[in-house]
Amino acid sequence: MKKFSIVVAGGGSTFTPGIILMLLDNLEKFPIRKIIFYDNDKERQDIVADACEIILKEKAPEIEFLATTDPKTAFTDIDFVMAHIRVGKYAMREKDEKIPLKHGVVGQETCGPGGVAYGMRSIGPVIELVDYMEKYSPDAWMLNYSNPAAIVAEATRKLRPDSKILNICDMPIGIEVRMAQILGLESRKDMEIKYFGLNHFGWWTDIRDKEGNDLMPKLKEHVKKHGYVPDAKVEGQHVEASWNDTFAKAKDVYMLDQKTLPNTYLKYYLFSDEVVEHSNPDYTRANEVMDGREKFIFGECKKIKESGTAKNTEFEIDEHASYIVDLARAISYNTKERMLLIVPNNGAIINFDPTAMVEIPCIVGSQGPEPLVVGSIPQFQKGMMEQQVSVEKLVVEAWAENSYEKLWQAITLSKTVPSARVAKLILDDLIEANKEYWPELK
Ligand code: NAD
Ligand code: G6P
Ligand code: MN
């Protein structure tokens, strides 16, 4: 059996140790011969790499391991690039969240002006990763979950149309895990789903068990009362109080269209005013993550290094990230697994822009994804998606053309922003904060 070689781009990510443990747990399904970490912050990556090296020595000493900041070393002899970079790191996420909030607008990692700012930072570096891959390992595939995935996906579609990059998000997976729990199923894979939308902007239209029985009525009954909060405790990712609020809020989002079940991110667009009221402009999710996940991960890594063993580590296998293995297997073994991916619409949603990057079910095989036909979508969702996809396309155009006007239009069009005046105030603050990262706008 062929063994694969992978580079983790963004090796210093807080998600890296959990993903490495997940990969080690899946070696029978997806054998690995080499793991390389690549990052542009050596100091940050080294902390994670030193710990992961010990984990690998203890669990799979046959796997070759190295960490580097040199693109040629990182991208040579690679089958898969697993990309999760955060351009500007948490310091810039904090600004993405706080600057809009200062002007009374939603401050969020991927939604609204914060997502636009993050997108402007991410387009260049993600394209750089694609170019390294194509230069040093032209047969490799990139599995990208770097955010903001919607804007990054549109940028690669437009600027690198032939590149072998698959954009995927774990939010629908996280929600489906909760749905399965609500339904009393063992696994989300016991459900067959239909879904359409943009990334962080979509709806389930059909959910059935493997026998074809409709599970939507039971789910709707629950979501109407509790959102996506199951009766029993949830383990793993997205468990903090602020995430719980988001899952609970799905009950109000659901009321707007009771034929479908919504992605949790829609709350930022449909209940923007409430979100702002409930936000603390001095302490946002970035602060929560820095004080929580980041401290924990880096603390554990240092402990492993100091003690020279990972035997007593509190790191857990990131179960939910096993979708990455499903995707790599689909490409490597032509499994034809059905997965939600962010792909060019190309007619799948009949009454929607064929050039839009949409999140829809695809059959994934060695040739990549084959999107399934969605058909026509209702006016409500179509209207919202047309507005949002225009935001995403205008950001990419603004980046490619250095256009202040187009970026102003993008922020103005976001449903989270009340007027062109407020959009301009936010934009001017964002330009100042992102000087180091954005192209200069004219
Ligand atoms: P993090 O800041 O802990 O890690 C990101 C790493 O990327 C850092 O070590 C940083 O130095 C590195 N980096 C930044 N710019 C780089 C560049 N140009 N080249 C190489 N490395 C670079 O962030 P995190 O919270 O662990 O998240 C990582 C990414 O994964 C983010 O984009 C986040 O939004 C994304 N994410 C996506 C999903 C999804 O569903 N798609 C789920 C979780 C996280
Ligand atoms: C979900 C989304 C990701 C996002 C993450 C943020 O998993 O799908 O795209 O990056 O949430 O989580 P955090 O814990 O960093 O706020
Ligand atoms: Mn996501």
Side-chain angles (χ1 to χ4, degrees), residues 40-41 86-89 91-92 95-96 117-118 120-125 399 428-441:
N40 63 357
D41 180 338
R86 180 186 292 286
V87 180
K89 292 174 276 192
M92 289 308 295
K95 293 188 181 170
D96 293 343
Y118 189 10
M120 287 290 284
R121 290 198 302 278
S122 300
I123 294 170
W399 184 88
D428 290 341
D429 283 359
L430 288 173
I431 288 174
E432 187 57 34
N434 283 278
K435 265 197 204 132
E436 233 185 282
Y437 300 96
W438 288 9
E440 197 180 329
L441 302 179

Side-chain angles (χ1 to χ4, degrees), residues 283-302:
Y283 195 84
T284 59
R285 178 66 188 155
N287 299 110
E288 265 179 34
V289 175
M290 286 187 272
D291 292 343
R293 184 170 71 232
E294 190 179 34
K295 275 218 172 85
F296 168 71
I297 297 291
F298 283 81
E300 274 304 295
C301 285
K302 285 174 188 158

Side-chain angles (χ1 to χ4, degrees), residues 15 23 62 80 87 120 135 150 156 225 256 311 329 355 377 380 410:
F15 293 105
L23 290 173
E62 69 285 3
F80 288 99
V87 180
M120 287 290 284
K135 180 164 178 200
T156 53
K225 293 192 203 114
L256 268 127
K311 261 188 276 165
R329 278 175 51 85
T355 72
I377 58 172
F380 174 62

Side-chain angles (χ1 to χ4, degrees), residues 14-15 86 90 93 97 108-110 118 145 147 149 168-172 199-200 237-238 240 243 265 285-286 289 293 320:
T14 56
F15 293 105
R86 180 186 292 286
Y90 290 119
R93 177 176 179 174
E97 293 168 351
Q108 214 279 327
E109 179 192 22
T110 64
Y118 189 10
Y145 22 98
N147 267 317
I168 189 163
C169 169
D170 67 355
M171 196 70 253
N199 178 237
H200 290 184
Q237 219 208 1
H238 302 141
E240 301 97 319
W243 268 109
Y265 277 96
R285 178 66 188 155
V289 175
R293 184 170 71 232
H320 104 285

Side-chain angles (χ1 to χ4, degrees), residues 10-118:
S13 158
T14 56
F15 293 105
T16 299
I19 288 178
I20 293 301
L21 287 174
M22 181 281 296
L23 290 173
L24 295 181
D25 200 43
N26 280 282
L27 285 176
E28 265 173 40
K29 283 201 217 153
F30 181 67
I32 296 174
R33 67 180 164 87
K34 181 159 92 178
I35 297 177
I36 301 177
F37 284 5
Y38 170 74
D39 206 290
N40 63 357
D41 180 338
K42 181 177 187 314
E43 210 182 316
R44 182 179 177 93
Q45 170 164 274
D46 279 350
I47 300 170
V48 178
D50 288 348
C52 289
E53 189 168 21
I54 293 172
I55 294 174
L56 282 162
K57 274 215 184 91
E58 290 182 343
K59 290 189 186 269
E62 69 285 3
I63 296 177
E64 189 188 330
F65 175 74
L66 72 118
T68 178
T69 54
D70 173 49
K72 185 172 179 202
T73 313
F75 288 81
T76 301
D77 179 32
I78 284 299
D79 299 303
F80 288 99
V81 180
M82 299 183 176
H84 56 202
I85 60 170
R86 180 186 292 286
V87 180
K89 292 174 276 192
Y90 290 119
M92 289 308 295
R93 177 176 179 174
E94 184 179 12
K95 293 188 181 170
D96 293 343
E97 293 168 351
K98 289 185 177 172
I99 290 171
L101 271 178
K102 197 179 92 190
H103 297 282
V105 168
V106 169
Q108 214 279 327
E109 179 192 22
T110 64
C111 304
V116 168
Y118 189 10

